[in-house]
Amino acid sequence: MPHLNPDHAPPRRIVVFGGVYNNHLSLAATLAEAERRGADEIYCLGDMGGFGPRPDKVFPLLQRAGVRCMQGNYDHSIGNRLEDCACGYTDPRDNHFARISYDYTLARTSDANKDWLRALPTGFRHTWNGRQVVMAHGSTRRTNEFLWASTSPDHFLEHLLRDAEADLLLVTHTGIPWSRTLPSGRTVINVGAIGRPANDGNLNVWAVEIDLTTPSDIRHRFLPISYDHAALADEMRDEQLPEEFVATILTGWWTTCLEILPAKERALGRF
Amino acid sequence: MHTHQPAPPTLSFPYLETLWLQVTGTLCNLTCKHCFITCGPNNASHPIMTSEQVTQAVDEAVGFGVREFYFTGGEPFLHPEIEELIAYVLERGPLSILTNGLLIDATRADRLAKLAAASPYSLDLRVSLDGFTADQNDPIRGRGTFEKIIGAVTRCAAAGIPPILTITEVVPATEATLPAFQQLLSNAGITRPRLKFLPPVRLGREARRDRGYQDEERLVDGDLLPDEVFSLACGTGRMVTAKGVYPCPILIEAKDARMSDRLADALTPIQLRHQACYSCHAEGLRCRT
Ligand code: SF4
Ligand code: SF4
Ligand SMILES: [Fe+2]
């Protein structure tokens, strides 16, 4: 496990990820990568459940590694035992699959883990290397706002970061990683998700490393994470999760809940 | 005065996320029976916006940190400078266009695809349909429209900009009707189907086609759910027409709904006192893509 420093000393290397979606195998691989890189703090921006098999498996991994976890919209729903994930799909096929993974995750998450999810904070803020670093699940103003590259204009992001007094903003919630340095020099990073591939035909998932070793500068790097996707697929089939979900793990293409993708992101996928 | 009428709820306005632009006013090349703003070739109650009116509203919204733009009408492609306006907006952010598709020929579909490819932001076309056969659709949208709409959808798909299909729930979406829609789309060459189902708004011609609102179908204080401001079009959006700023696309013909001349004066809380507000709340009417 990574060597976590005491709270007072500023960290030097940080790994940030989100969108675990019950994928305990990619989570273990991400934590191993963080350790290999000497990360002294690890952050998870939320959405532990949905999609993958055996929800309870991710919690001991997160807790043992001392990951600083945030509550995503899915965690809020599961933690509060809500009836559905409130994803608000209008496409009946998307609704059908969202319902399957939500009901599965809700039924198989222990009460203790639900309580843990319910108690998670909804954001983080730090001053690192003299800069304001803010972490949120969807956006700083709403947990379930999607920050896609193709629907987040520069002027809008400037506005968002100015309001949040952020020089660097890290988010997840969409599942597709991107980053942009704005005209003002402020930076937005969507860390993507470690729970499923990024709809680009590759099987790896993505996390982000924040490098604070250069004083007064913050650098970041996207980390491709490979893991035993075949084993995950087997486990999903054992759990009788839909073959459509398994296909995503085995091909790198999203097959369900595509409605949320804006035109540009949708055109890059296969379905 | 109805002294015993309970007060309508007040909706806050947290921020401007969506700017709706009624670029062609109420001018349309169809006269659909369910149109909630009674659009048609002879309705000039909201005139076409000048290009300056459009770009001014866009610039003003950019100053407020707006996130996304919608072109609507009427039929947006009746605007003489529509492609210039599309290019202008796509330099600044993502754009959705609500269209009946009839004016999208192959050349236009190609030009739209080029505009979309040239922008870092998404261009979404939304085409409406009222059934998966001419027999279902044409009585509502007009004779021969089914063929024309499917033709436009096919051309857009071939050009690489497959539209989102909005299906007003005049024909209910059921497990039984869905596969037929899917088949229709795949015949049109759409391999990435995107469907939206919308409930009808009982205004304009729809009020005469089916029924208007019952008297008790109105919102009163306390009706709103905690996060409803984020799902209602009027919660984080405003509609600009040639006549000024309105709370949403639905109310532009409603009495007293006009808010101001400029966007800057319309980013304020409103009262949900119209009966259409009941549809938004009770039936989950959503305007956004
Ligand atoms: S519903 Fe749309 S296409 Fe039909 S008349 Fe109204 S604006 Fe025109
Ligand atoms: S009709 Fe709907 S969107 Fe318009 S003001 Fe009423 S609630 Fe808001
Ligand atoms: Fe999320």
Side-chain angles (χ1 to χ4, degrees):
Chain A
M1 287 299 119
H3 307 284
L4 297 172
N5 71 349
D7 268 338
H8 317 292
R12 297 172 59 74
R13 234 172 251 288
I14 297 135
V15 165
V16 188
F17 62 85
V20 181
Y21 310 149
N22 294 341
N23 190 338
H24 59 94
L25 294 177
S26 66
L27 173 59
T30 304
L31 297 175
E33 179 68 15
E35 181 173 22
R36 207 177 63 73
R37 295 188 163 266
D40 36 23
E41 285 183 7
I42 308 174
Y43 289 82
C44 173
L45 307 187
D47 281 357
M48 316 309 175
F51 190 74
R54 299 191 179 113
D56 274 340
K57 285 190 161 190
V58 302
F59 298 97
L61 295 174
L62 291 166
Q63 289 155 2
R64 250 183 280 137
V67 178
R68 293 156 197 243
C69 292
M70 181 187 300
Q71 186 185 68
N73 54 304
Y74 219 83
D75 311 315
H76 178 267
S77 293
I78 297 281
N80 289 288
R81 286 88 164 161
L82 302 186
E83 249 165 57
D84 60 49
C85 61
C87 299
Y89 294 113
T90 54
D91 183 322
R93 182 176 180 273
D94 284 350
N95 254 324
H96 167 77
F97 285 109
R99 161 73 37 209
I100 291 175
S101 49
Y102 188 77
D103 290 349
Y104 172 86
T105 303
L106 186 67
R108 284 169 183 72
T109 303
S110 74
D111 269 330
N113 288 330
K114 282 178 183 149
D115 292 344
W116 184 81
L117 287 172
R118 191 171 54 184
L120 291 176
T122 55
F124 295 118
R125 171 183 291 275
H126 297 283
T127 308
W128 284 334
N129 284 359
R131 308 193 66 192
Q132 293 294 314
V133 179
V134 172
M135 301 185 201
H137 179 72
S139 82
T140 47
R141 62 190 190 184
R142 244 178 84 212
T143 298
N144 59 355
E145 180 167 26
F146 292 105
L147 295 192
W148 305 100
S150 88
T151 58
S152 300
D154 285 355
H155 70 260
F156 154 71
L157 292 172
E158 295 277 21
H159 192 86
L160 202 65
L161 271 73
R162 208 181 316 123
D163 278 1
E165 296 178 18
D167 298 310
L168 170 62
L169 172 65
L170 293 124
V171 297
T172 176
H173 186 54
T174 65
I176 298 187
W178 57 273
S179 70
R180 198 186 307 161
T181 298
L182 302 170
S184 65
R186 293 179 158 104
T187 301
V188 178
I189 303 173
N190 190 317
V191 302
I194 63 162
R196 63 174 179 172
N199 197 25
D200 61 359
N202 294 311
L203 301 185
N204 66 278
V205 295
W206 294 94
V208 165
E209 179 185 57
I210 303 292
D211 179 345
L212 301 172
T213 54
T214 314
S216 76
D217 193 16
I218 299 184
R219 298 181 186 182
H220 73 273
R221 170 178 316 118
F222 283 97
L223 306 174
I225 311 279
S226 300
Y227 69 100
D228 193 344
H229 56 272
L232 191 85
D234 287 346
E235 211 181 306
M236 289 168 80
R237 286 181 173 138
D238 286 348
E239 290 292 287
Q240 291 170 349
L241 288 166
E243 226 13 69
E244 285 83 352
F245 294 179
V246 177
T248 296
I249 292 298
L250 293 178
T251 65
W253 300 110
W254 295 3
T255 57
T256 60
C257 300
L258 294 158
E259 167 185 356
I260 56 170
L261 285 168
K264 251 185 211 297
E265 282 79 0
R266 182 76 185 262
L268 296 172
R270 176 176 288 173
F271 299 105
Chain B
M1 276 298 287
H2 300 275
T3 41
H4 297 293
Q5 191 94 349
T10 298
L11 191 73
S12 64
F13 192 79
Y15 47 78
L16 180 68
E17 176 169 21
T18 308
L19 180 68
W20 294 82
L21 294 145
Q22 205 204 22
V23 291
T24 48
T26 40
L27 185 69
C28 193
N29 48 355
L30 293 182
T31 49
C32 303
K33 292 210 170 63
H34 61 22
C35 185
F36 61 80
I37 40 180
T38 326
C39 291
N42 303 316
N43 183 348
S45 74
H46 287 262
I48 289 194
M49 292 177 79
T50 65
S51 292
E52 291 67 36
Q53 284 175 323
V54 175
T55 56
Q56 265 171 26
V58 168
D59 292 349
E60 204 187 347
V62 163
F64 292 116
V66 71
R67 182 162 187 192
E68 53 176 11
F69 302 92
Y70 276 75
F71 280 179
T72 179
E75 170 48 48
F77 285 101
L78 285 171
H79 196 287
E81 292 169 288
I82 189 66
E83 289 180 24
E84 289 81 354
L85 293 175
I86 292 171
Y88 188 87
V89 169
L90 280 178
E91 280 173 27
R92 289 157 180 81
L95 172 64
S96 296
I97 305 176
L98 277 51
T99 170
N100 59 34
L102 263 56
L103 297 171
I104 307 179
D105 60 13
T107 325
R108 172 158 271 161
D110 278 337
R111 285 201 304 267
L112 291 176
K114 287 205 180 74
L115 287 171
S119 171
Y121 307 123
S122 276
L123 171 65
D124 273 301
L125 298 176
R126 273 171 50 171
V127 175
S128 302
L129 207 55
D130 292 307
F132 48 90
T133 64
D135 286 350
Q136 290 166 342
N137 177 84
D138 289 6
I140 296 165
R141 301 195 85 80
R143 191 174 335 153
T145 55
F146 184 80
E147 288 296 315
K148 289 179 186 162
I149 294 166
I150 294 302
V153 168
T154 309
R155 285 191 289 281
C156 290
I161 43 168
I164 296 170
L165 279 191
T166 305
I167 293 116
T168 45
E169 282 186 8
V170 175
V171 176
T174 64
E175 300 279 321
T177 57
L178 204 59
F181 269 125
Q182 304 282 6
Q183 187 57 46
L184 181 74
L185 293 177
S186 90
N187 292 349
I190 295 194
T191 52
R192 302 175 175 92
R194 290 191 288 170
L195 296 176
K196 266 184 88 73
F197 291 89
L198 295 179
V201 184
R202 302 186 190 286
L203 295 175
R205 272 190 294 272
E206 173 67 5
R208 296 194 285 278
R209 189 191 72 87
D210 186 357
R211 64 170 177 87
Y213 285 96
Q214 319 273 318
D215 207 39
E216 71 279 6
E217 290 179 331
R218 56 174 73 246
L219 294 177
V220 297
D221 204 12
D223 275 351
L224 295 181
L225 305 169
D227 267 350
E228 201 161 347
V229 64
F230 297 115
S231 53
L232 295 172
C234 55
T236 56
R238 285 294 177 257
M239 171 75 156
V240 175
T241 84
K243 285 170 34 175
V245 188
Y246 292 76
C248 70
I250 299 160
L251 292 180
I252 56 165
E253 285 182 326
K255 198 167 160 282
D256 305 333
R258 186 180 179 282
M259 296 184 74
S260 63
D261 288 334
R262 294 173 57 89
L263 214 43
D265 302 318
L267 308 182
T268 54
I270 55 167
Q271 286 199 321
L272 303 186
R273 60 195 154 77
H274 298 270
Q275 287 204 283
C277 302
Y278 180 83
S279 286
C280 294
H281 167 79
E283 300 176 57
L285 176 70
R286 298 291 170 266
C287 303
R288 277 181 294 188
T289 297

